[in-house]
Amino acid sequence: MKILLVIVGAFLTVITLIPFSRRSEWWIRIFDFPRLQIFVVLVATLAAFLIFIWKFKLAENLFVVALLMCLVYQGSMMFPYTPFAAKQVHESQKAQGDSTFSILFANVLMENRNSSKLLEIIRQNDPDVILTVETNKWWQDELVSLEKTHPYTVFQPQDDTYGMLLYSRLELVNAEVKFLVEDIVPSIHGRVKLKSGTEVEIRCLHPPPPFPTEDDSSTERDAELLIVGKEIKKLDRPSVVIGDLNDVAWSHTNFLFQDISGLLDPRIGRGFYNTFHADYPFMRMPLDHCFHTSHFRLVDFKRLDYFGSDHFPVYIKLSFEPADKEQQELPEAEPDQKKEAEETIDKKQAEPGSTL
């Protein structure tokens, strides 16, 4: 039993240390994802070792200290997304009004055929804006009824799991599809005009994950996020970024994106809101995100029901309250973070096939 616990503990220590490297290879960045799972197994391993093995010997003490340090690190990375942390986005008291709007976004899983359940979820929550990703022509045909209730649309169906469809009952202004880093990975850029007349920048993203069947590094994903983050910061307008970002809330890239963009995360201080994998509870993690500028306060935020996809849908309702924006502390990038962001974008720009 001791040998088994030592092997497991050593493995957990190694995969905790690997993400400290800022290299972008998939087999390094992939260990950003399962922090919660690593934390749980660390707790079980440490508890078993202390109960059944620990005899206060030097080597055993060092092993215990190593596991404790890994626990503290993994816990500290996830802590902001627990109810024990301070809320980054303040709550609004305006449940309704011309300055509120709601968004529902979902990765449908292209092979999933339960479109009727998704439509039911959409009807139940009645969002102003709907984004679906991994959508091909079959999904566009299945969701055609949304065009009656949400007549402002942008469609980019694709058969490679990177298609996306945007529907809105609010007017879309200058909305278009762009290919920021690769000519097969689209994103939607434009503005949503609220009933009050306020125009809100919206960016809908679905970059590829760092995984050998998709992309052998995280450079493309990271570059797309950072390009959008820099743009949002420069625009200095009310803005929202949504989508399946194929990155977890507690990764280095996610924190860097927030600092570069100055965007807020409504999950901070509220919970993980794990959206993937819908079929395997132990493997769940927060991959679907909504970030926004400090012009907004939160009315509602929730993970929605299962509809056959490997992702759960997400619903968020925001209230435009710019008079209170100074009360919400903004993330701010340090000079070394700005340098890192530029280096990541330059690295992607130098790759063959890049559209930068």
Side-chain angles (χ1 to χ4, degrees), residues 172-188:
L172 295 176
V173 180
N174 295 334
E176 61 179 331
V177 175
K178 294 184 179 182
F179 296 85
L180 294 181
V181 293
E182 293 286 348
D183 59 9
I184 62 169
V185 180
S187 53
I188 296 175

Side-chain angles (χ1 to χ4, degrees), residues 56 102 155 158 272 312 337 349:
F56 297 95
S102 55
F155 295 151
Q158 295 182 192
F272 294 156
F312 291 102
Q337 292 177 302
Q349 188 173 22

Side-chain angles (χ1 to χ4, degrees), residues 100-135:
T100 65
F101 74 113
S102 55
I103 305 171
L104 186 153
F105 56 102
N107 181 321
V108 302
L109 183 64
M110 193 173 71
E111 297 81 10
N112 177 23
R113 291 297 177 258
N114 199 357
S115 57
S116 60
K117 179 60 177 178
L118 177 59
L119 285 169
E120 179 186 340
I121 292 171
I122 291 172
R123 284 193 294 268
Q124 289 172 347
N125 290 277
D126 193 30
D128 296 310
V129 179
I130 303 160
L131 171 69
T132 59
V133 301
E134 279 203 29
T135 35

Side-chain angles (χ1 to χ4, degrees), residues 62-73:
L62 292 174
F63 182 73
V64 169
V65 169
L67 293 188
L68 283 171
M69 291 177 67
C70 291
L71 266 177
V72 169
Y73 170 69

Side-chain angles (χ1 to χ4, degrees), residues 37-51:
Q37 291 76 14
I38 294 171
F39 185 87
V40 171
V41 180
L42 275 167
V43 170
T45 303
L46 181 59
F49 192 85
L50 291 175
I51 294 170

Side-chain angles (χ1 to χ4, degrees), residues 238-345:
S239 304
V240 175
V241 176
I242 58 173
D244 169 12
L245 303 188
N246 277 313
D247 194 14
V248 281
W250 42 66
S251 76
H252 171 75
T253 301
N254 182 75
F255 292 131
L256 179 62
F257 168 75
Q258 271 202 270
D259 290 339
I260 291 294
S261 65
L263 295 176
L264 306 179
D265 187 343
R267 292 167 299 184
I268 290 179
R270 290 186 170 87
F272 294 156
Y273 296 91
N274 293 327
T275 56
F276 174 91
H277 196 295
D279 294 318
Y280 305 109
F282 182 69
M283 291 306 297
R284 287 179 186 167
M285 54 195 71
L287 292 192
D288 299 87
H289 307 251
C290 178
F291 300 97
H292 58 80
T293 53
S294 60
H295 300 84
F296 302 96
R297 289 198 174 202
L298 185 67
V299 177
D300 195 11
F301 187 72
K302 56 189 175 183
R303 188 185 75 182
L304 303 177
D305 295 336
Y306 177 77
F307 69 101
S309 174
D310 51 356
H311 289 247
F312 291 102
V314 175
Y315 173 91
I316 184 167
K317 187 171 185 178
L318 297 170
S319 174
F320 180 66
E321 301 178 23
D324 298 326
K325 62 179 295 190
E326 302 302 329
Q327 298 176 17
Q328 299 181 126
E329 185 176 353
L330 296 179
E332 187 67 40
E334 300 292 337
D336 61 324
Q337 292 177 302
K338 294 178 181 179
K339 180 181 178 182
E340 180 183 350
E342 292 297 336
E343 290 175 347
T344 299
I345 294 170

